[in-house]
Amino acid sequence: MPVLTRLVPSPLFAEIRPGALDALGGILADQRLSASGRIAVAISNGSGAAMRERLEPVLPGADWYNVDDGSLDSAVRFAEEMHGKHYDAVVGLGGGKIIDAAKYAAARVGLPVVAVATNLAHDGICSPVSTLDNDAGRGSYGVPSPIGIIVDLDVIRQAPPRFVAAGIGDVVSNISACADWELSHAVTGEPVDGLAVAMARSAGANLLRHPGSTQDQDLLTALAEALVLSGIAMNIAGSSRPSSGACHEICHALDVMYPKRSAQHGEQVGLGAAFASFLRGERELTGLIVECLARHGLPVTAAQMGFSDAEFTEAVHYAPNTRPGRYTILEHLDLSPSAIRDAYADYVQAVNS
């Protein structure tokens, strides 16, 4: 019998601990990414200035780049500025927008990227996807996933609680996304990668019942590890399938239809996961997701995000258009606007009962 093995694409290292940021230079050297310190560091125009002042002494050979926002234009501009400067690696230092821009720019110039997260708002810290604003609203672009992850829990604890809580919503939505994938397998025959499902769903389940708050180191550690596992699951699957189902279709629809009013990504996919679970008839899971979201101050109804029932209904109806070819409970039921409105009314009643 031949022994068959599988190579699992994953980061070279993941440092998740208090004080990790101050060891950044040593970590890059120890991992043989940049013994010379010739790295390009992407930071935001806002909070990035304080990070630069703190890290310049330990990164004497680094060049610092202010990235305006999480847009495709900014990512392309960053890549053009780095062109021909012979860096060893790119470091994305900041929240999800900066890290996504850094991943995209690094891919364009052919360099490895290290994600240094200052908040845990979504699973972009390890995913092979960059979500960037473009002329059409917002797009997802396939990129190599970060070669290294650094999460300083002391820094994360100082982030606005809303951003940390949003990451919980993103991770918990994995459970709904995996259920949609398995539904597609049953109905359309789409292959399901069991290892990717195991990683993504376990990551979501760990946060679903975790009793801690966003200020507890144990929960922050669990969340950071769950976000890394979600990214690895997507690498294994070769797509965002294990972390993106109807929950993300609804989120992307809100982004497209109401770009100036959309909430945090993790807030929207958390609500999307709860409603998608309700549509699948999974009442116990719906209750657990709603309870988890509410415990961390995340919205569980459209009204709590500033959308009317009619606006949310319209977004859910439009949602399948955001991921052509992806089969979820939304495509399976193919509900009319009036049926969505009635189902959402039932959902809100169940949430408030």
Side-chain angles (χ1 to χ4, degrees), residues 2-313:
V3 177
L4 303 179
T5 61
R6 181 180 190 180
L7 297 178
V8 177
S10 61
L12 180 64
F13 63 91
E15 292 278 342
I16 302 171
R17 57 181 172 83
L21 192 60
D22 293 324
L24 177 58
I27 291 171
L28 295 177
D30 290 345
Q31 298 296 335
R32 300 182 182 178
L33 281 180
S34 181
S36 68
R38 285 290 299 155
I39 59 174
V41 185
I43 58 173
S44 69
N45 285 317
S47 60
M51 292 290 104
R52 176 174 181 175
E53 183 178 350
R54 174 179 173 180
L55 290 175
E56 271 189 314
V58 298
L59 298 173
D63 289 336
W64 298 78
Y65 293 88
N66 288 323
V67 177
D68 293 335
D69 50 36
S71 68
L72 180 60
D73 288 344
S74 291
V76 170
R77 197 157 46 243
F78 177 34
E80 291 172 345
E81 291 171 347
M82 288 191 292
H83 186 71
K85 294 186 178 178
H86 307 293
Y87 295 116
D88 299 323
V90 178
V91 172
L93 172 59
K97 291 182 179 181
I98 297 301
I99 290 174
D100 277 355
K103 288 192 296 185
Y104 185 89
R108 284 181 69 102
V109 297
L111 288 173
V113 64
V114 176
V116 183
T118 57
N119 68 52
L120 298 175
H122 63 72
D123 58 19
I125 63 171
C126 189
S127 76
V129 177
S130 284
T131 302
L132 301 169
D133 295 330
N134 56 35
D135 293 339
R138 186 167 292 171
S140 296
Y141 304 88
V143 294
S145 60
I147 197 169
I149 313 293
I150 297 176
V151 179
D152 188 327
L153 298 178
D154 291 334
V155 173
I156 298 300
R157 196 175 286 108
Q158 297 170 20
R162 181 186 177 193
F163 293 137
V164 179
I168 296 172
D170 202 10
V171 170
V172 167
S173 76
N174 287 0
I175 302 171
S176 177
C178 288
D180 277 332
W181 197 4
E182 291 170 337
L183 171 67
S184 179
H185 173 70
V187 177
T188 73
E190 178 187 357
V192 169
D193 190 307
L195 181 58
V197 167
M199 281 193 171
R201 187 152 51 201
S202 294
N206 286 345
L207 270 297
L208 186 65
R209 294 178 172 85
H210 198 292
S213 75
T214 54
Q215 290 299 306
D216 295 340
Q217 181 168 313
D218 184 60
L219 181 134
L220 294 179
T221 301
L223 175 56
E225 291 174 347
L227 293 172
V228 171
L229 285 176
S230 294
I232 295 174
M234 286 185 266
N235 275 317
I236 291 170
S239 75
S240 62
R241 198 50 156 130
S243 297
S244 175
C247 48
H248 279 63
E249 289 182 334
I250 293 170
C251 174
H252 295 316
L254 291 169
D255 289 338
V256 170
M257 299 176 70
Y258 313 106
K260 303 298 183 182
R261 296 170 53 200
S262 55
Q264 289 283 320
H265 173 84
E267 294 174 339
Q268 294 182 166
V269 299
L271 171 59
F275 185 54
S277 299
F278 186 84
L279 291 177
R280 286 192 301 270
E282 299 168 330
R283 296 298 187 264
E284 182 179 357
L285 175 60
T286 301
L288 289 171
I289 292 176
V290 167
E291 180 184 349
C292 175
L293 298 178
R295 185 166 68 249
H296 296 292
L298 292 164
V300 296
T301 65
Q304 292 174 358
M305 287 196 301
F307 295 108
S308 68
D309 291 1
E311 289 171 332
F312 187 72
T313 295

